[in-house]
Amino acid sequence: MGRIVGIDLGTTNSVIGVLEAGRPFVIANAEGSRTTPSVIGYNKDSELLVGQQARRQLVLNPKNTFSNLKRFVGRTWQELDENSLNVAYTVRANDQECVRVICPVTEREYAPEELIGSIIRKLIDDAEKYLGESIDSAVITVPAYFNDSQRQATRDSALLAGIRVERILNEPTAAALAYGFDKSSSSRVLVFDLGGGTFDISLLQISNGVFDVKATSGDTQLGGNDFDQKIVDWLANEFYNEHKIDLRRDRQSLQRLSEAAEKAKQELSGLQTTPISLPFIATGSNGPLHIEAKLDRKKFEYLCTDLIDRLSIPVENVLRDSGWSAEDINDVVLVGGSTRMPMVQQFIRTIVPITPSQSVNPDEVVAVGAAVQAGIISGELRDLLLNDVTPLSLGLETVGGLMKVLIPRNTPIPVRQADVFSTSEANQSSVEINVWQGERQLANDNKSLGKFKLSGIPPAPRGVPQVQVAFDIDANGLLQVSATDRTTGRKQSVSINGGSNLNENEVAKLIKDARDKADIDRKKRASIDQRNNALTLVAQAERKLRDVSLEFGPYGAERQQRAVEVALRDVQEFLDNDDLVELDMAVSSLQEALFGLNRRISAEKRTDNNPIQGIKNTFGSLKDELFSDDYWDDDPWDYSQNDNGRYNRRELDRRELDRRELDRRELDRWDNDFYN
Ligand code: ADP
Ligand code: MG
């Protein structure tokens, strides 16, 4: 089995982790950060940008830059509340009431799952480069409170990224795994995870490597964004009262407001008051208008009282469902950037009066836990056992539109539950079954996971046929349904759809498109890389020539200098003509010529009776720099290309460095023989 990575696919930030030699760790992305903003965008040339690059164009290109997509995952248009729609890009419902994101520059619309797939792809690409091996499967975390559709949709995102999902793991469970996988003591832990867009809370019993989730609850539409929104509304309302202009109607102003609000919010976690300055935010009848405001923590907390109230509902639920009281809890694990807010920390202290654990990093703990789970699956980590629960009740619609619960929330998974159905009329040949998930009494108030029809029931008086319908929730929290006609013994497989924003055909088509496009993209990227490398080499060669003629005069190393000049001209020419085939060869020639020049110089350097030695000495301290020979230096990084045409970014190990040192000595010997 290949290597399995762990991915925390956050609303705001995503993180990828892996297990190495039994220890989980987080892999930094190509930009060097351990977290990658969950933002996707297209620039004006329709090029895909993911992560920090996309985040940077949020204000300048709001229509083509997409953030907070996780709020749309696996949700139908009707399920979205006004807050979710408060984004600077355009979303709409397609004819199946699925959410679509409009991207003007590519003239296409995307399912949120598709865009999120690009985030997964980037995380994987960067991790592959780092590890120097390919990755084809992952453990992906989701909020514990995600329903079946949201889980299916997350799995679709991974499929679109070409990744097999080994396990869908609940985020708080992952956090608990990271917290407790190397502890032997037994404890009762509360995991409180407030991120950018979702809130999860779980209670677990951990003892000797066994992780029992007792209960979980949450709110998939509550997170740091809502706190930002309070500041946005406050600023916009004040501005409206003064100037009668609604800043929220202008995409760019809205985006600038949101960014300033988030920054102010984060500052208020450490400071008592913070200035908010947004020059040229709009244009009034008398010219440009600005925002110059001051927000203090007390005011901010006052604006957010209803959000703090909303946090307490899941907390009450989880305590009630677990049967534990606050005194039973030994440790509190805080997860997610929003738990840095003092008002949130105070709120938690009012539920469990102990100091939260400081042993985990709230930004990385979920990915670390996912990496631990990956290690359990691959067999690398033993003696760890995870027993999770299903967050929401699963049931069927019965007479009068009531919800009949088959699998109550917080039932340990995997679980199988069956029920028997019959007909309500004579000779009825089919029955329709409507599956719902949620806690409300009326089915209609819950989330419909889909309907299916059982057909082919043999003619019989009403109530006689017996059809057994079984519901299986697997370890991923995903539902599968099967049905058996008890009288005939015939088994029917039923598929539930309506979950993801994409149907099976769409997923298949997108995967194919992505594969086709990946080839084109790879070629395009390879040619860009090729040009860039040539340009770098040209710059190096020019510098070298300059340095050498400074040191030795224009004819100091005549033959080698001319060779570099000729090769340099060729490279330049093919770069200008964009002739990439010839360019490759010219680059090799230039490399060879430079190599020759360098060798000649190092030979000169070592020859004691060298006529130019005197000149070198007069250069004094410059000498070291000029002869440092940076291009061929002892560089501990490997820049070669791997089989996929990607550039390695792998630190060379000791053995490889030693080998290179031997090569160098061999070369020196050869040089000495040749020149003496
Ligand atoms: P997710 O898992 O949903 O991607 P994160 O755990 O990365 O989210 O948390 C992101 C949220 O945390 C954002 O709303 C961000 O503004 C907020 N955040 C980060 N640092 C702070 C801070 N110092 N004070 C308040 N909020 C913060
Ligand atoms: Mg998170």
Side-chain angles (χ1 to χ4, degrees), residues 8 10-14 38 70 171 193-198 223-225 228 262 265-267 269 335-338 340-341 362-363:
D8 168 14
T11 313
T12 323
N13 295 301
S14 297
S38 307
K70 191 165 165 180
E171 286 164 12
D193 180 355
L194 188 62
T198 56
N225 291 334
D228 301 345
E262 185 178 10
K265 172 191 76 176
Q266 294 187 353
E267 279 174 2
S269 293
V335 187
S338 300
R340 294 204 175 91
M341 280 187 281
D363 299 319

Side-chain angles (χ1 to χ4, degrees), residues 79 397 401-403 436-448:
E79 287 169 342
E397 184 173 339
L402 286 178
M403 163 103 168
W436 300 83
Q437 196 169 30
E439 309 309 321
R440 305 284 294 271
Q441 306 245 317
L442 284 179
N444 227 331
D445 293 331
N446 292 318
K447 159 85 185 168
S448 167

Side-chain angles (χ1 to χ4, degrees), residues 350-380:
T350 64
I351 321 163
V352 189
I354 50 176
T355 310
S357 164
Q358 303 290 328
S359 67
V360 299
N361 174 337
D363 299 319
E364 298 179 356
V365 61
V366 171
V368 168
V372 170
Q373 173 70 54
I376 298 175
I377 293 172
S378 69
E380 209 177 320

